[in-house]
Amino acid sequence: MVTETDLIREVRERPETRRVWSTTEAREIARTVGITELTETHWRVITCLRNHFIAYGAPPPQPTACRLCGLQADCEDELFGGPERAWAVAGLPDLSEGE
């Protein structure tokens, strides 16, 4: 049985995902993990995650990520179903790659 983690990993391992990220790619990844529409608030979180990663090379802690975007501390859970999904849709490297 294919798990959600397997699907996220599969999308991240595609050569085109590793080379180039775009809003089109974000929408494709979102659909893969069961998010049918990315709203303005989704994009706000995606932008915050990507900016933080560019600046610090790591994801912000979950409550901090949401607060950086001016949202409730549980925004990643509410909008994406968890931080791993948010990170995947943002097109950023697998959180476990550095472990």
Side-chain angles (χ1 to χ4, degrees), residues 49-63:
L49 290 174
R50 291 186 63 80
N51 289 343
H52 192 280
F53 183 77
I54 289 166
Y56 302 103
Q62 183 181 4

Side-chain angles (χ1 to χ4, degrees), residues 4 8 33-35 42 62 74-86 89:
E4 180 180 312
I8 291 171
V33 298
I35 301 168
H42 284 95
Q62 183 181 4
D74 62 350
C75 73
E76 289 176 309
D77 292 326
E78 292 292 319
L79 295 168
F80 296 92
E84 184 177 65
R85 281 184 178 182
V89 173

